[in-house]
PDB file of all heavy atoms in Angstrom:
ATOM      1  N   LEU A 107      27.822  -0.111  -7.243  1.00 96.00           N
ATOM      2  CA  LEU A 107      28.200  -1.511  -7.142  1.00 96.00           C
ATOM      3  C   LEU A 107      28.608  -1.841  -5.711  1.00 96.00           C
ATOM      4  O   LEU A 107      29.353  -1.101  -5.077  1.00 96.00           O
ATOM      5  CB  LEU A 107      29.357  -1.818  -8.096  1.00 96.00           C
ATOM      6  CG  LEU A 107      29.970  -3.221  -8.012  1.00 96.00           C
ATOM      7  CD1 LEU A 107      28.947  -4.279  -8.407  1.00 96.00           C
ATOM      8  CD2 LEU A 107      31.211  -3.313  -8.897  1.00 96.00           C
ATOM      9  N   VAL A 108      28.103  -2.978  -5.203  1.00 97.00           N
ATOM     10  CA  VAL A 108      28.474  -3.463  -3.884  1.00 97.00           C
ATOM     11  C   VAL A 108      29.308  -4.726  -4.053  1.00 97.00           C
ATOM     12  O   VAL A 108      28.859  -5.695  -4.672  1.00 97.00           O
ATOM     13  CB  VAL A 108      27.234  -3.774  -3.021  1.00 97.00           C
ATOM     14  CG1 VAL A 108      27.646  -4.237  -1.632  1.00 97.00           C
ATOM     15  CG2 VAL A 108      26.329  -2.553  -2.921  1.00 97.00           C
ATOM     16  N   ILE A 109      30.528  -4.723  -3.542  1.00 93.00           N
ATOM     17  CA  ILE A 109      31.403  -5.880  -3.653  1.00 93.00           C
ATOM     18  C   ILE A 109      31.011  -6.895  -2.575  1.00 93.00           C
ATOM     19  O   ILE A 109      31.248  -6.681  -1.384  1.00 93.00           O
ATOM     20  CB  ILE A 109      32.886  -5.484  -3.506  1.00 93.00           C
ATOM     21  CG1 ILE A 109      33.246  -4.395  -4.512  1.00 93.00           C
ATOM     22  CG2 ILE A 109      33.777  -6.704  -3.670  1.00 93.00           C
ATOM     23  CD1 ILE A 109      33.072  -4.802  -5.957  1.00 93.00           C
ATOM     24  N   LEU A 110      30.416  -8.001  -2.997  1.00 96.00           N
ATOM     25  CA  LEU A 110      29.909  -8.991  -2.056  1.00 96.00           C
ATOM     26  C   LEU A 110      30.948 -10.032  -1.672  1.00 96.00           C
ATOM     27  O   LEU A 110      30.807 -10.726  -0.677  1.00 96.00           O
ATOM     28  CB  LEU A 110      28.689  -9.703  -2.660  1.00 96.00           C
ATOM     29  CG  LEU A 110      27.499  -8.819  -3.018  1.00 96.00           C
ATOM     30  CD1 LEU A 110      26.452  -9.634  -3.763  1.00 96.00           C
ATOM     31  CD2 LEU A 110      26.898  -8.192  -1.767  1.00 96.00           C
ATOM     32  N   ARG A 111      31.986 -10.191  -2.486  1.00 95.00           N
ATOM     33  CA  ARG A 111      33.031 -11.195  -2.272  1.00 95.00           C
ATOM     34  C   ARG A 111      32.449 -12.611  -2.289  1.00 95.00           C
ATOM     35  O   ARG A 111      32.761 -13.453  -1.461  1.00 95.00           O
ATOM     36  CB  ARG A 111      33.782 -10.925  -0.968  1.00 95.00           C
ATOM     37  CG  ARG A 111      34.522  -9.592  -0.974  1.00 95.00           C
ATOM     38  CD  ARG A 111      35.282  -9.347   0.316  1.00 95.00           C
ATOM     39  NE  ARG A 111      34.381  -9.066   1.424  1.00 95.00           N
ATOM     40  CZ  ARG A 111      34.433  -9.703   2.595  1.00 95.00           C
ATOM     41  NH1 ARG A 111      35.345 -10.655   2.797  1.00 95.00           N
ATOM     42  NH2 ARG A 111      33.605  -9.370   3.562  1.00 95.00           N
ATOM     43  N   PHE A 112      31.582 -12.851  -3.290  1.00 95.00           N
ATOM     44  CA  PHE A 112      31.022 -14.181  -3.512  1.00 95.00           C
ATOM     45  C   PHE A 112      31.763 -14.857  -4.658  1.00 95.00           C
ATOM     46  O   PHE A 112      32.195 -14.203  -5.602  1.00 95.00           O
ATOM     47  CB  PHE A 112      29.543 -14.089  -3.896  1.00 95.00           C
ATOM     48  CG  PHE A 112      28.613 -13.690  -2.774  1.00 95.00           C
ATOM     49  CD1 PHE A 112      27.328 -13.272  -3.060  1.00 95.00           C
ATOM     50  CD2 PHE A 112      29.014 -13.747  -1.453  1.00 95.00           C
ATOM     51  CE1 PHE A 112      26.458 -12.910  -2.047  1.00 95.00           C
ATOM     52  CE2 PHE A 112      28.165 -13.381  -0.432  1.00 95.00           C
ATOM     53  CZ  PHE A 112      26.876 -12.963  -0.731  1.00 95.00           C
ATOM     54  N   ASN A 113      31.847 -16.190  -4.605  1.00 95.00           N
ATOM     55  CA  ASN A 113      32.324 -16.943  -5.769  1.00 95.00           C
ATOM     56  C   ASN A 113      31.218 -17.791  -6.386  1.00 95.00           C
ATOM     57  O   ASN A 113      31.469 -18.654  -7.225  1.00 95.00           O
ATOM     58  CB  ASN A 113      33.514 -17.836  -5.394  1.00 95.00           C
ATOM     59  CG  ASN A 113      33.174 -18.852  -4.308  1.00 95.00           C
ATOM     60  OD1 ASN A 113      32.022 -19.005  -3.922  1.00 95.00           O
ATOM     61  ND2 ASN A 113      34.192 -19.540  -3.804  1.00 95.00           N
ATOM     62  N   ARG A 114      29.991 -17.518  -5.958  1.00 96.00           N
ATOM     63  CA  ARG A 114      28.811 -18.156  -6.536  1.00 96.00           C
ATOM     64  C   ARG A 114      27.710 -17.099  -6.675  1.00 96.00           C
ATOM     65  O   ARG A 114      27.826 -15.980  -6.198  1.00 96.00           O
ATOM     66  CB  ARG A 114      28.309 -19.302  -5.648  1.00 96.00           C
ATOM     67  CG  ARG A 114      29.259 -20.489  -5.516  1.00 96.00           C
ATOM     68  CD  ARG A 114      29.368 -21.278  -6.805  1.00 96.00           C
ATOM     69  NE  ARG A 114      30.142 -22.499  -6.623  1.00 96.00           N
ATOM     70  CZ  ARG A 114      31.458 -22.583  -6.698  1.00 96.00           C
ATOM     71  NH1 ARG A 114      32.177 -21.484  -6.911  1.00 96.00           N
ATOM     72  NH2 ARG A 114      32.073 -23.740  -6.541  1.00 96.00           N
ATOM     73  N   SER A 115      26.625 -17.503  -7.298  1.00 98.00           N
ATOM     74  CA  SER A 115      25.510 -16.595  -7.560  1.00 98.00           C
ATOM     75  C   SER A 115      24.932 -16.011  -6.278  1.00 98.00           C
ATOM     76  O   SER A 115      24.838 -16.684  -5.244  1.00 98.00           O
ATOM     77  CB  SER A 115      24.422 -17.354  -8.320  1.00 98.00           C
ATOM     78  OG  SER A 115      23.226 -16.610  -8.396  1.00 98.00           O
ATOM     79  N   ALA A 116      24.536 -14.732  -6.350  1.00 98.00           N
ATOM     80  CA  ALA A 116      23.736 -14.122  -5.282  1.00 98.00           C
ATOM     81  C   ALA A 116      22.283 -14.508  -5.518  1.00 98.00           C
ATOM     82  O   ALA A 116      21.776 -14.408  -6.636  1.00 98.00           O
ATOM     83  CB  ALA A 116      23.896 -12.610  -5.283  1.00 98.00           C
ATOM     84  N   THR A 117      21.609 -14.975  -4.486  1.00 98.00           N
ATOM     85  CA  THR A 117      20.287 -15.567  -4.661  1.00 98.00           C
ATOM     86  C   THR A 117      19.133 -14.725  -4.130  1.00 98.00           C
ATOM     87  O   THR A 117      18.027 -14.782  -4.661  1.00 98.00           O
ATOM     88  CB  THR A 117      20.236 -16.942  -3.974  1.00 98.00           C
ATOM     89  OG1 THR A 117      20.636 -16.784  -2.598  1.00 98.00           O
ATOM     90  CG2 THR A 117      21.169 -17.930  -4.670  1.00 98.00           C
ATOM     91  N   VAL A 118      19.368 -13.946  -3.065  1.00 98.00           N
ATOM     92  CA  VAL A 118      18.270 -13.203  -2.445  1.00 98.00           C
ATOM     93  C   VAL A 118      18.838 -12.002  -1.711  1.00 98.00           C
ATOM     94  O   VAL A 118      19.957 -12.048  -1.180  1.00 98.00           O
ATOM     95  CB  VAL A 118      17.475 -14.116  -1.472  1.00 98.00           C
ATOM     96  CG1 VAL A 118      18.379 -14.676  -0.388  1.00 98.00           C
ATOM     97  CG2 VAL A 118      16.283 -13.396  -0.873  1.00 98.00           C
ATOM     98  N   VAL A 119      18.067 -10.893  -1.682  1.00 98.00           N
ATOM     99  CA  VAL A 119      18.517  -9.677  -1.001  1.00 98.00           C
ATOM    100  C   VAL A 119      17.344  -9.073  -0.231  1.00 98.00           C
ATOM    101  O   VAL A 119      16.204  -9.096  -0.690  1.00 98.00           O
ATOM    102  CB  VAL A 119      19.105  -8.659  -2.010  1.00 98.00           C
ATOM    103  CG1 VAL A 119      18.052  -8.208  -3.021  1.00 98.00           C
ATOM    104  CG2 VAL A 119      19.709  -7.467  -1.294  1.00 98.00           C
ATOM    105  N   LYS A 120      17.627  -8.537   0.979  1.00 98.00           N
ATOM    106  CA  LYS A 120      16.592  -7.926   1.816  1.00 98.00           C
ATOM    107  C   LYS A 120      17.164  -6.741   2.590  1.00 98.00           C
ATOM    108  O   LYS A 120      18.197  -6.855   3.251  1.00 98.00           O
ATOM    109  CB  LYS A 120      16.035  -8.939   2.825  1.00 98.00           C
ATOM    110  CG  LYS A 120      15.027  -9.923   2.271  1.00 98.00           C
ATOM    111  CD  LYS A 120      13.693  -9.260   1.982  1.00 98.00           C
ATOM    112  CE  LYS A 120      12.667 -10.251   1.443  1.00 98.00           C
ATOM    113  NZ  LYS A 120      12.190 -11.167   2.487  1.00 98.00           N
ATOM    114  N   TRP A 121      16.459  -5.585   2.516  1.00 98.00           N
ATOM    115  CA  TRP A 121      16.788  -4.447   3.370  1.00 98.00           C
ATOM    116  C   TRP A 121      16.415  -4.769   4.809  1.00 98.00           C
ATOM    117  O   TRP A 121      15.407  -5.451   5.075  1.00 98.00           O
ATOM    118  CB  TRP A 121      16.020  -3.204   2.941  1.00 98.00           C
ATOM    119  CG  TRP A 121      16.527  -2.505   1.725  1.00 98.00           C
ATOM    120  CD1 TRP A 121      15.967  -2.496   0.480  1.00 98.00           C
ATOM    121  CD2 TRP A 121      17.702  -1.672   1.633  1.00 98.00           C
ATOM    122  NE1 TRP A 121      16.719  -1.725  -0.385  1.00 98.00           N
ATOM    123  CE2 TRP A 121      17.793  -1.214   0.297  1.00 98.00           C
ATOM    124  CE3 TRP A 121      18.695  -1.286   2.542  1.00 98.00           C
ATOM    125  CZ2 TRP A 121      18.817  -0.384  -0.149  1.00 98.00           C
ATOM    126  CZ3 TRP A 121      19.716  -0.463   2.111  1.00 98.00           C
ATOM    127  CH2 TRP A 121      19.771  -0.010   0.779  1.00 98.00           C
ATOM    128  N   SER A 122      17.171  -4.229   5.754  1.00 98.00           N
ATOM    129  CA  SER A 122      16.802  -4.329   7.164  1.00 98.00           C
ATOM    130  C   SER A 122      15.682  -3.329   7.450  1.00 98.00           C
ATOM    131  O   SER A 122      15.481  -2.370   6.685  1.00 98.00           O
ATOM    132  CB  SER A 122      18.009  -4.045   8.058  1.00 98.00           C
ATOM    133  OG  SER A 122      18.389  -2.685   7.947  1.00 98.00           O
ATOM    134  N   PRO A 123      14.928  -3.515   8.537  1.00 97.00           N
ATOM    135  CA  PRO A 123      13.813  -2.593   8.840  1.00 97.00           C
ATOM    136  C   PRO A 123      14.226  -1.137   8.943  1.00 97.00           C
ATOM    137  O   PRO A 123      13.469  -0.238   8.548  1.00 97.00           O
ATOM    138  CB  PRO A 123      13.278  -3.125  10.173  1.00 97.00           C
ATOM    139  CG  PRO A 123      13.636  -4.561  10.175  1.00 97.00           C
ATOM    140  CD  PRO A 123      14.955  -4.652   9.468  1.00 97.00           C
ATOM    141  N   ASN A 124      15.419  -0.850   9.485  1.00 97.00           N
ATOM    142  CA  ASN A 124      15.884   0.529   9.613  1.00 97.00           C
ATOM    143  C   ASN A 124      16.555   1.044   8.346  1.00 97.00           C
ATOM    144  O   ASN A 124      16.976   2.221   8.302  1.00 97.00           O
ATOM    145  CB  ASN A 124      16.850   0.659  10.793  1.00 97.00           C
ATOM    146  CG  ASN A 124      16.169   0.436  12.121  1.00 97.00           C
ATOM    147  OD1 ASN A 124      14.946   0.382  12.213  1.00 97.00           O
ATOM    148  ND2 ASN A 124      16.969   0.290  13.174  1.00 97.00           N
ATOM    149  N   GLU A 125      16.703   0.186   7.359  1.00 97.00           N
ATOM    150  CA  GLU A 125      17.247   0.533   6.033  1.00 97.00           C
ATOM    151  C   GLU A 125      18.692   1.033   6.085  1.00 97.00           C
ATOM    152  O   GLU A 125      19.153   1.696   5.164  1.00 97.00           O
ATOM    153  CB  GLU A 125      16.345   1.557   5.335  1.00 97.00           C
ATOM    154  CG  GLU A 125      14.916   1.079   5.174  1.00 97.00           C
ATOM    155  CD  GLU A 125      13.990   2.117   4.573  1.00 97.00           C
ATOM    156  OE1 GLU A 125      14.500   3.100   3.996  1.00 97.00           O
ATOM    157  OE2 GLU A 125      12.765   1.947   4.676  1.00 97.00           O
ATOM    158  N   ASN A 126      19.405   0.700   7.157  1.00 97.00           N
ATOM    159  CA  ASN A 126      20.810   1.096   7.249  1.00 97.00           C
ATOM    160  C   ASN A 126      21.764  -0.020   6.823  1.00 97.00           C
ATOM    161  O   ASN A 126      22.982   0.149   6.867  1.00 97.00           O
ATOM    162  CB  ASN A 126      21.147   1.546   8.677  1.00 97.00           C
ATOM    163  CG  ASN A 126      20.849   0.479   9.718  1.00 97.00           C
ATOM    164  OD1 ASN A 126      20.234  -0.545   9.417  1.00 97.00           O
ATOM    165  ND2 ASN A 126      21.291   0.715  10.946  1.00 97.00           N
ATOM    166  N   LYS A 127      21.200  -1.154   6.423  1.00 98.00           N
ATOM    167  CA  LYS A 127      22.001  -2.278   5.939  1.00 98.00           C
ATOM    168  C   LYS A 127      21.086  -3.223   5.177  1.00 98.00           C
ATOM    169  O   LYS A 127      19.850  -3.116   5.242  1.00 98.00           O
ATOM    170  CB  LYS A 127      22.673  -3.007   7.104  1.00 98.00           C
ATOM    171  CG  LYS A 127      21.705  -3.514   8.161  1.00 98.00           C
ATOM    172  CD  LYS A 127      22.417  -4.068   9.379  1.00 98.00           C
ATOM    173  CE  LYS A 127      21.400  -4.495  10.442  1.00 98.00           C
ATOM    174  NZ  LYS A 127      22.040  -5.036  11.653  1.00 98.00           N
ATOM    175  N   PHE A 128      21.675  -4.140   4.437  1.00 98.00           N
ATOM    176  CA  PHE A 128      20.898  -5.171   3.757  1.00 98.00           C
ATOM    177  C   PHE A 128      21.701  -6.465   3.766  1.00 98.00           C
ATOM    178  O   PHE A 128      22.925  -6.463   3.938  1.00 98.00           O
ATOM    179  CB  PHE A 128      20.501  -4.755   2.333  1.00 98.00           C
ATOM    180  CG  PHE A 128      21.660  -4.463   1.414  1.00 98.00           C
ATOM    181  CD1 PHE A 128      22.255  -5.476   0.659  1.00 98.00           C
ATOM    182  CD2 PHE A 128      22.136  -3.172   1.266  1.00 98.00           C
ATOM    183  CE1 PHE A 128      23.314  -5.211  -0.198  1.00 98.00           C
ATOM    184  CE2 PHE A 128      23.197  -2.890   0.414  1.00 98.00           C
ATOM    185  CZ  PHE A 128      23.785  -3.913  -0.328  1.00 98.00           C
TER     186      PHE A 128
END
Side-chain angles (χ1 to χ4, degrees):
L107 174 64
V108 182
I109 305 299
L110 300 173
R111 297 181 289 129
F112 288 165
N113 60 8
R114 295 290 187 274
S115 169
T117 54
V118 58
V119 62
K120 281 288 181 72
W121 283 106
S122 68
N124 293 349
E125 303 176 16
N126 57 351
K127 57 187 177 180
F128 60 88

